[in-house]
């Protein structure tokens, strides 16, 4: 069975960016493997990192379980040293092994112009490692909290009607309670992006992706 690989900087990113699409693909019986680079523990300066990590893992497993995703690999990069950790040889080796094991036909990851430093670094990392290994899967990029599209790629390369799975995505996002109130703001932007993509695609809700 062909594998769809999802490579995201933080646990909630892939749910916000592609949750409806992944729920749809999971329901269709496609094999989905998620790779999460960091737990995002740096967003909570009050709690101990180990406690934040434990909470994020529980929230993520509940969210992806609802979406129908069973296989996840955590790379455990430091959220505070993300851009340096991602360039470590050990990180590259882990991802090379993952690519060699699963041989994905499709990869979802962050958009190259995502304003978040960790998201942008993940997108760059994926592009570079695929080039170095001379692998050519289809790569689709998401930016779930950017509702408006500008520039030469104003039209997406892939649009998925997620109307049937939209409530499932919303329910999955709600599991990330430890990220309130930020997650609520990002989710609102994601909702707007899905509505606008759906409007253009003549359906109620859609998720749009650029090709790398």
């Amino acid at each position: 069975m062909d594998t769809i690989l999802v490579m995201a900087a933080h646990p909630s990113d892939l749910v916000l960016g592609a949750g409806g699409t992944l729920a749809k693909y999971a329901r269709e019986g496609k094999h989905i493997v998620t790779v999460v680079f960091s737990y995002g523990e740096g967003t909570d300066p009050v709690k101990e990192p180990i406690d934040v990590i434990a909470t994020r893992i529980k929230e993520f497993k509940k969210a992806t379980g609802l979406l129908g995703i069973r296989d996840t690999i955590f790379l455990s990069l430091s959220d505070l040293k993300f851009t340096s950790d991602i360039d470590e040889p050990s990180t590259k080796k882990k991802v090379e092994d993952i690519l060699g094991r699963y041989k994905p036909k499709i990869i979802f990851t962050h958009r190259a112009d995502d304003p978040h430093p960790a998201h942008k670094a993940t997108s760059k990392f994926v592009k570079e490692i695929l080039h170095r290994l001379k692998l050519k899967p289809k790569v689709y990029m998401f930016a779930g909290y950017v509702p408006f599209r500008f520039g030469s790629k104003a039209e997406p390369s892939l649009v998925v009607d997620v109307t049937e799975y939209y409530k499932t995505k919303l329910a999955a996002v709600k599991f990330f309670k430890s990220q309130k109130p930020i997650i609520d703001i990002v989710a609102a932007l994601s909702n707007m992006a899905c509505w606008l993509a759906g409007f253009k695609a003549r359906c109620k809700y859609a998720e749009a992706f650029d090709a790398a």
Side-chain angles (χ1 to χ4, degrees):
M1 181 185 296
D2 292 342
T3 295
I4 296 172
L5 198 63
V6 189
M7 307 184 81
H10 308 107
S12 60
D13 293 338
L14 63 95
V15 180
L16 290 162
T21 299
L22 298 176
K24 181 178 187 293
Y25 287 168
R27 181 69 64 85
E28 292 173 352
K30 293 180 171 61
H31 181 218
I32 301 170
V33 177
T34 60
V35 179
V36 180
F37 283 71
S38 172
Y39 302 106
E41 70 276 8
T43 59
D44 193 331
V46 178
K47 295 181 180 179
E48 289 293 326
I50 191 170
D51 294 329
V52 177
I53 289 171
T55 299
R56 295 288 165 83
I57 291 174
K58 289 179 181 178
E59 293 173 341
F60 179 80
K61 288 184 176 180
K62 289 179 180 178
T64 52
L66 184 61
L67 297 179
I69 300 169
R70 300 289 177 260
D71 297 328
T72 296
I73 300 168
F74 293 101
L75 297 184
S76 303
L77 272 62
S78 169
D79 193 41
L80 297 177
K81 299 187 296 179
F82 191 99
T83 53
S84 60
D85 278 6
I86 199 170
D87 285 329
E88 288 292 329
S90 58
T91 304
K92 296 176 183 178
K93 178 64 167 59
K94 288 177 183 178
V95 176
E96 286 175 3
D97 290 345
I98 291 168
L99 291 169
R101 176 182 177 185
Y102 291 104
K103 298 178 175 57
K105 298 295 183 182
I106 297 174
I107 294 177
F108 285 94
T109 192
H110 298 276
R111 264 171 53 181
D113 60 350
D114 192 305
H116 192 297
H119 299 176
K120 185 177 293 186
T122 302
S123 181
K124 179 174 179 287
F125 176 89
V126 172
K127 180 179 179 180
E128 290 179 349
I129 201 166
L130 290 175
H131 178 73
R132 186 170 68 253
L133 298 176
K134 298 181 179 180
L135 300 176
K136 296 182 179 180
K138 293 180 180 179
V139 179
Y140 295 112
M141 302 181 292
F142 55 78
Y145 59 87
V146 181
F148 302 104
R149 307 172 62 83
F150 304 98
S152 59
K153 287 190 176 181
E155 294 302 321
S157 302
L158 173 67
V159 178
V160 180
D161 181 350
V162 299
T163 304
E164 184 180 349
Y165 304 94
Y166 195 64
K167 288 184 178 179
T168 302
K169 173 180 178 174
L170 293 180
V173 171
K174 288 181 179 179
F175 281 119
F176 295 99
K177 295 177 181 178
S178 68
Q179 296 185 53
K180 285 179 172 291
I182 295 175
I183 193 73
D184 293 331
I185 298 170
V186 178
L189 292 172
S190 176
N191 293 343
M192 185 181 296
C194 288
W195 182 85
L196 287 172
F199 180 79
K200 291 182 179 180
R202 298 184 178 181
C203 61
K204 193 169 183 180
Y205 296 106
E207 289 176 339
F209 307 90
D210 291 334

